[in-house]
Amino acid sequence: MLLEKKLESKTEQLSIINQFSSSLLQITHLEELFDYVTSQVVKRLGFVDCVIYLADQDCQCLEVVASMGVAQHSERYEVAQQTIPIAAGITGHVARTKKPFISGDLSLEPMYIADSQPALSELCVPLVYKEQLIGVIDCEHPEQNYFTSSHLQILSTVAHLLSAKIYQVRTVDHLTATVSQLNEAQLIEKCILKIANITYHSQELDTFYDELYKIINTVLPANNCFIGIYDTKQDMLEIEYLIEDGNKCLAQQKVSKSQLKHTASYYVIRTQSALLCDHQQFQHHISQGHFEMIGRSPQAWLGVPFIVNDQYQGVIVLQSYEQHETFNRQHYTILTYISRQISMAIDRRLAKQALEHRALHDDLTGLANRYLLIERMKHAILSLGRQTQSNLHCLIYLDLDRFKSINDSLGHDVGDRFLIAIVKALQTCIRKTDTFARLGGDEFAIFMENIQDEEQVAKALQRLTQAIANPFTIDTHVLQASSSIGVAFTEHDSDNAITLLQQADAAMYEAKSAGRSQVRYFNNAMRSKLKHQADIENDLQHGILNDEFELFYQPIFTLNQPKVVSFEALVRWHHPKNGLVAPDQFIPIAESTGQIIELDRHILTLAAKQLSNWRQQGVSDIKMTVNVSSRHFASLEFIEYIHALYDEYKLPSGSLCLEITESGLIENLNLATKIINGITPLGVQLYLDDFGTGYSALGYLHQLPIHVLKIDKSFVEQLSTKDSPLIDAILSLAKSLQLKVVAEGIETPKQWARLKRKGCQLGQGYLVSRPMPSQKALAFLHA
């Protein structure tokens, strides 16, 4: 009878196990599985209590996931501990050892931790799969010696099947989550690539923001979004981009610090730390006084700061007003990346704006430069054709008198600040619509659009001259300024902006010629003069191409035992209409138009050819000097050109020399030194022309490899009636620096005698010879 009961019991257990195995194939959710084990498997085994614990990720605790016991039918017994440390109790022991435990009298068991209603019997088996702990199944009974070895065997079998199923379900869940994460990662990666692409290819920031928002909206809840840029110098936040309830709103709103300082956005900017919070956390920040509630209370809020440069900081904010929308750490990570792209895009825009501003404005004063002035003049002149009323435009050209002497005597730093002070004073005298430009050095222009009559300009000129006349204090220096002003008008849309600038410039030069603090209006006489200059400019190019230029030669001779040592080559222009044109009528125009470079090279070539011809005629020891523009001393290409001349015409060392004014050298001191050193191996000597009339910056002489000083003829003229202390000083200086001296403009024997007595070595002037053509110069040399 006992054997039959055991067989029935065994058969029942096998049936339960078989049914459990079959059910495992259909059950895919762990919650259903745990409930099935406790209610349909363990209960049918005759157990009155069963708890399934799962180990946490670090295997430090066991947590209840399902239970079945007498507590469902009686209040005498219940599971009190929902979490058990893995280091405590019988369940902890089974988890640690991964071995089953059975006890018939728990009162004798020291590891037992009793609930409110202690049990007497306990059976506990581990859930293990491939040596990995998953959890435990713990069964208790109020009767002593209730659990048998059969119970242990059947529960171990259940545990083995359950462990495999848990592992399988977890693996599937993990794979599903992994696939989902991969899909999401791919989406995010695509978005990141798109963001990087638009960052570097979007020309306009508005377009960039529109494209950026489309991308953000695919990976983040971005129904409410804004991007703000904070100017730390102005204490002002500019809302660059704003989306509310999915709709784009008018941006470019400026918010002052007083309006901004109580907002969450300013809190993020000020602390330079991101803020991710739900409704409750947002309210907590408010209660802590970090910021105040402005507008609607969000259900979720995410803000990320970014830095553009030393002046500009930014913030991008997402807000949600829907309870089902929240932000998480992944959203924060994505938005942080996006904020960096925004920072780069804004930085590029600011850099572009800075470059554009520098391209169109003067670095020192911040005024418009020549290019921007001309562009605005062109636009304004064209607008004259569209206007119904008879307006006109006016250009005022200002040149500061004696600014150069202030710059030279007090230094460029004082000179620069003096200019800035004058600019600030003049800006108070003009309209906001007027274009104030610096044309270079101490020259300025004010373009006045749409004026009614000349009286309006006259009043403006009064304000300008008065502002300049007021003394300026720079450091401890009280400086007085004045200006020469030229004025020109335009009233037809067919007029030319460059022509208007030339007219105002011409009027300014007339004012300067008339003395300090003068104003001149452009008139017909000036127009005729400008036309003559324009004609010469046009004819110069033809003259070079048609070989209309000829060199005349004036001898340079020794004062002791007179002998010609060299010639100065002086250019003359055989103009087809105007006849022989003197250099003072076309050289200044060539210099101002830039044609002087080509003209000088043409003259140098003529001089080299002449030296070569004279050598072929038996004159081998003669030298020649040619005047060149200071523009050549701003480019190292000049070295190559002089070397090429010497090579092509086989010139003896030092036979072709150069003359230049001292101001031209000092303006490009470092580069000029390199160029002079570059042509020194050819024996080329450098003559400093008109010495004493320009900068007279004697400190520069010892830095420059100069060979000869030429005393200007204005000082030599004085020797006809009296001695000149200045000539004595120049000769003394030249002697100390071991330089030769040529006195220009010797026209009387008295001048010659006094120069000779003072120790001047060389001379040049009409007393010996005027400039003459090449054949006469050769005859003079032989004579």
Side-chain angles (χ1 to χ4, degrees):
M1 188 69 179
L2 180 61
L3 179 60
E4 289 179 1
K5 287 185 177 180
K6 286 184 177 181
L7 287 172
E8 288 178 7
S9 176
K10 194 72 174 177
T11 302
E12 176 66 17
Q13 290 174 0
L14 288 173
S15 173
I16 293 170
I17 293 299
N18 287 334
Q19 188 176 353
F20 178 47
S21 300
S22 300
S23 300
L24 287 179
L25 297 174
Q26 281 78 41
I27 300 175
T28 57
H29 296 289
L30 290 179
E31 292 80 4
E32 290 183 42
L33 183 62
F34 296 145
D35 183 66
Y36 181 80
V37 169
T38 55
S39 62
Q40 300 298 321
V41 180
V42 178
K43 188 175 182 180
R44 288 180 60 189
L45 290 172
F47 298 178
V48 297
D49 174 84
C50 176
V51 181
I52 300 176
Y53 295 91
L54 292 185
D56 64 3
Q57 189 173 6
D58 300 324
C59 289
Q60 297 296 315
C61 292
L62 297 170
E63 297 181 352
V64 174
V65 293
S67 63
M68 177 278 296
V70 294
Q72 296 177 358
H73 309 288
S74 170
E75 296 181 359
R76 292 186 302 104
Y77 181 74
E78 60 182 4
V79 179
Q81 290 181 287
Q82 295 294 313
T83 302
I84 297 177
I86 206 166
I90 293 171
T91 50
H93 170 74
V94 170
R96 292 195 308 274
T97 62
K98 300 177 186 176
K99 293 180 179 180
F101 174 89
I102 187 170
S103 173
D105 189 356
L106 291 175
S107 63
L108 302 176
E109 193 56 58
M111 290 189 298
Y112 178 63
I113 300 174
D115 287 324
S116 58
Q117 295 293 330
L120 290 177
S121 295
E122 183 167 0
L123 174 59
C124 188
V125 295
L127 295 170
V128 177
Y129 186 81
K130 293 184 179 180
E131 300 300 322
Q132 179 183 345
L133 176 69
I134 296 176
V136 296
I137 301 176
D138 185 37
C139 298
E140 295 183 356
H141 201 280
E143 296 179 11
Q144 199 171 26
N145 296 317
Y146 179 78
F147 297 109
T148 66
S149 58
S150 297
H151 290 147
L152 174 60
Q153 184 180 4
I154 189 68
L155 193 62
S156 295
T157 303
V158 170
H160 177 74
L161 294 172
L162 179 60
S163 298
K165 185 64 177 182
I166 292 173
Y167 184 83
Q168 180 192 38
V169 172
R170 283 182 171 177
T171 301
V172 172
D173 288 346
H174 177 70
L175 287 173
T176 303
T178 301
V179 170
S180 176
Q181 289 173 359
L182 284 172
N183 291 335
E184 189 173 355
Q186 286 178 345
L187 176 62
I188 292 170
E189 184 180 5
K190 287 180 181 178
C191 291
I192 287 173
L193 289 173
K194 286 181 181 178
I195 291 170
N197 184 56
I198 64 169
T199 300
Y200 287 101
H201 290 93
S202 293
Q203 297 297 317
E204 299 296 330
L205 207 56
D206 285 342
T207 305
F208 168 75
Y209 286 141
D210 285 335
E211 294 296 321
L212 181 68
Y213 177 72
K214 290 178 185 177
I215 298 170
I216 293 174
N217 207 30
T218 61
V219 290
L220 296 174
N223 212 34
N224 295 276
C225 168
F226 84 83
I227 300 167
I229 304 300
Y230 183 64
D231 186 338
T232 57
K233 291 184 179 179
Q234 302 291 331
D235 271 338
M236 189 79 69
L237 178 79
E238 186 164 345
I239 298 176
E240 296 266 309
Y241 196 75
L242 179 62
I243 298 290
E244 289 187 347
D245 293 328
N247 298 313
K248 183 178 177 181
C249 303
L250 178 66
Q252 306 299 328
Q253 302 172 19
K254 292 189 177 181
V255 184
S256 65
K257 185 178 180 180
S258 59
Q259 301 169 296
L260 179 69
K261 64 182 180 180
H262 299 301
T263 65
S265 301
Y266 183 70
Y267 174 76
V268 170
I269 293 172
R270 179 171 55 82
T271 60
Q272 277 300 298
S273 58
L275 184 62
L276 169 63
C277 51
D278 57 21
H279 177 74
Q280 186 175 356
Q281 292 166 335
F282 194 82
Q283 293 297 326
H284 177 71
H285 279 286
I286 293 173
S287 65
Q288 292 293 310
H290 296 156
F291 45 80
E292 297 177 2
M293 176 61 67
I294 308 294
R296 291 186 292 169
S297 176
Q299 293 298 318
W301 202 93
L302 174 59
V304 176
F306 56 88
I307 294 177
V308 179
N309 54 34
D310 292 339
Q311 181 176 354
Y312 294 100
Q313 299 174 3
V315 63
I316 178 169
V317 175
L318 302 180
Q319 299 175 93
S320 172
Y321 298 98
E322 304 293 335
Q323 288 189 352
H324 67 277
E325 282 186 352
T326 59
F327 302 118
N328 54 40
R329 296 298 298 179
Q330 188 177 33
H331 295 151
Y332 158 73
T333 303
I334 296 170
L335 200 63
T336 299
Y337 172 81
I338 290 170
S339 72
R340 293 178 185 141
Q341 300 303 310
I342 295 172
S343 174
M344 286 191 287
I346 293 172
D347 192 40
R348 281 203 316 140
R349 181 188 68 170
L350 293 174
K352 182 181 177 183
Q353 287 177 342
L355 285 173
E356 289 174 348
H357 187 273
R358 290 190 67 180
L360 299 174
H361 293 79
D362 173 58
D363 286 340
L364 177 64
T365 62
L367 298 178
N369 61 13
R370 183 184 295 268
Y371 177 82
L372 181 57
L373 171 69
I374 291 173
E375 288 302 305
R376 291 186 178 174
M377 287 165 60
K378 287 179 180 178
H379 185 269
I381 290 171
L382 287 175
S383 71
L384 289 171
R386 300 189 297 268
Q387 294 178 356
T388 55
Q389 53 189 14
S390 57
N391 285 343
L392 57 148
H393 306 320
C394 171
L395 183 63
I396 300 172
Y397 201 121
L398 300 94
D399 181 90
L400 299 180
D401 301 321
R402 296 181 60 253
F403 173 74
K404 188 176 180 182
S405 62
I406 293 173
N407 224 12
D408 292 342
S409 59
L410 300 179
H412 289 284
D413 181 57
V414 172
D416 286 348
R417 284 187 284 157
F418 182 43
L419 280 182
I420 293 171
I422 290 173
V423 166
K424 288 181 178 178
L426 293 177
Q427 283 174 325
T428 63
C429 305
I430 61 176
R431 304 172 302 175
K432 290 183 178 180
T433 55
D434 297 336
T435 298
F436 192 5
R438 185 186 183 198
L439 302 177
D442 56 356
E443 294 184 353
F444 300 88
I446 298 170
F447 182 57
M448 301 178 67
E449 297 184 44
N450 298 322
I451 57 174
Q452 279 72 47
D453 49 44
E454 293 187 13
E455 181 62 27
Q456 188 178 351
V457 177
K459 291 179 180 179
L461 289 171
Q462 288 179 357
R463 296 193 299 269
L464 293 169
T465 52
Q466 182 58 48
I468 294 176
N470 293 328
F472 297 89
T473 302
I474 309 296
D475 290 342
T476 57
H477 309 289
V478 178
L479 304 177
Q480 190 74 45
S482 64
S483 66
S484 299
I485 299 176
V487 184
F489 294 93
T490 179
E491 54 184 331
H492 303 293
D493 60 344
S494 59
D495 290 341
N496 184 277
I498 300 295
T499 302
L500 181 64
L501 185 61
Q502 291 171 341
Q503 291 173 350
D505 186 22
M508 183 274 293
Y509 273 104
E510 290 291 334
K512 186 173 280 291
S513 300
R516 295 174 59 186
S517 301
Q518 297 295 314
V519 177
R520 291 291 183 270
Y521 290 82
F522 184 75
N523 55 33
N524 287 330
M526 297 179 198
R527 182 175 280 104
S528 298
K529 187 175 180 181
L530 270 183
K531 185 180 184 306
H532 175 67
Q533 291 176 348
D535 290 341
I536 290 178
E537 181 182 341
N538 290 330
D539 293 345
L540 268 173
Q541 191 64 38
H542 296 291
I544 295 172
L545 293 174
N546 297 330
D547 202 22
E548 297 172 0
F549 294 93
E550 179 187 3
L551 294 184
F552 277 49
Y553 304 92
Q554 186 174 31
I556 297 174
F557 47 84
T558 55
L559 296 181
N560 291 321
Q561 299 177 345
K563 176 187 175 184
V564 175
V565 293
S566 64
F567 285 98
E568 179 181 359
L570 300 163
V571 67
R572 298 292 186 268
W573 185 7
H574 292 282
H575 194 280
K577 294 181 180 178
N578 302 331
L580 196 64
V581 182
D584 59 358
Q585 295 184 40
F586 63 86
I587 292 294
I589 296 173
E591 187 80 46
S592 65
T593 60
Q595 292 173 299
I596 193 67
I597 297 291
E598 187 177 1
L599 180 59
D600 277 357
R601 291 193 172 194
H602 182 63
I603 293 168
L604 284 166
T605 301
L606 293 177
K609 283 182 180 178
Q610 188 61 65
L611 280 171
S612 179
N613 290 337
W614 281 346
R615 284 192 68 207
Q616 293 172 12
Q617 297 177 53
V619 181
S620 58
D621 59 346
I622 197 66
K623 294 183 178 182
M624 190 183 299
T625 65
V626 177
N627 287 278
V628 294
S629 168
S630 61
R631 290 173 180 243
H632 294 290
F633 290 84
S635 172
L636 294 174
E637 292 179 1
F638 191 56
I639 299 174
E640 298 175 10
Y641 181 75
I642 297 298
H643 276 265
L645 275 182
Y646 265 79
D647 290 341
E648 182 178 355
Y649 294 100
K650 305 295 188 294
L651 301 181
S653 176
S655 58
L656 181 62
C657 300
L658 306 175
E659 291 193 20
I660 187 171
T661 60
E662 57 182 310
S663 60
L665 285 179
I666 292 171
E667 288 171 1
N668 302 287
L669 182 62
N670 293 331
L671 194 54
T673 303
K674 291 180 181 178
I675 293 171
I676 296 169
N677 289 332
I679 59 178
T680 297
L682 298 173
V684 177
Q685 290 192 323
L686 199 71
Y687 289 63
L688 203 57
D689 201 14
D690 301 333
F691 187 75
T693 62
Y695 281 78
S696 299
L698 305 182
Y700 288 104
L701 284 180
H702 69 88
Q703 300 180 44
L704 290 167
I706 303 298
H707 305 92
V708 183
L709 298 181
K710 298 191 77 173
I711 300 175
D712 187 70
K713 65 179 181 179
S714 61
F715 302 124
V716 174
E717 286 175 358
Q718 300 173 11
L719 294 178
S720 299
T721 56
K722 59 181 179 180
D723 272 346
S724 171
L726 184 56
I727 290 179
D728 294 335
I730 292 173
L731 290 169
S732 176
L733 174 67
K735 184 177 181 181
S736 65
L737 295 176
Q738 297 182 333
L739 302 176
K740 293 181 180 180
V741 177
V742 177
E744 295 183 292
I746 299 175
E747 298 181 354
T748 67
K750 184 178 289 186
Q751 292 170 346
W752 181 315
R754 286 184 172 176
L755 286 166
K756 178 179 176 182
R757 187 173 67 249
K758 291 175 182 294
C760 183
Q761 304 103 319
L762 303 169
Q764 182 179 356
Y766 289 175
L767 181 62
V768 172
S769 174
R770 290 175 177 271
M772 48 192 158
S774 59
Q775 291 303 319
K776 287 187 178 181
L778 184 61
F780 181 87
L781 189 63
H782 288 311

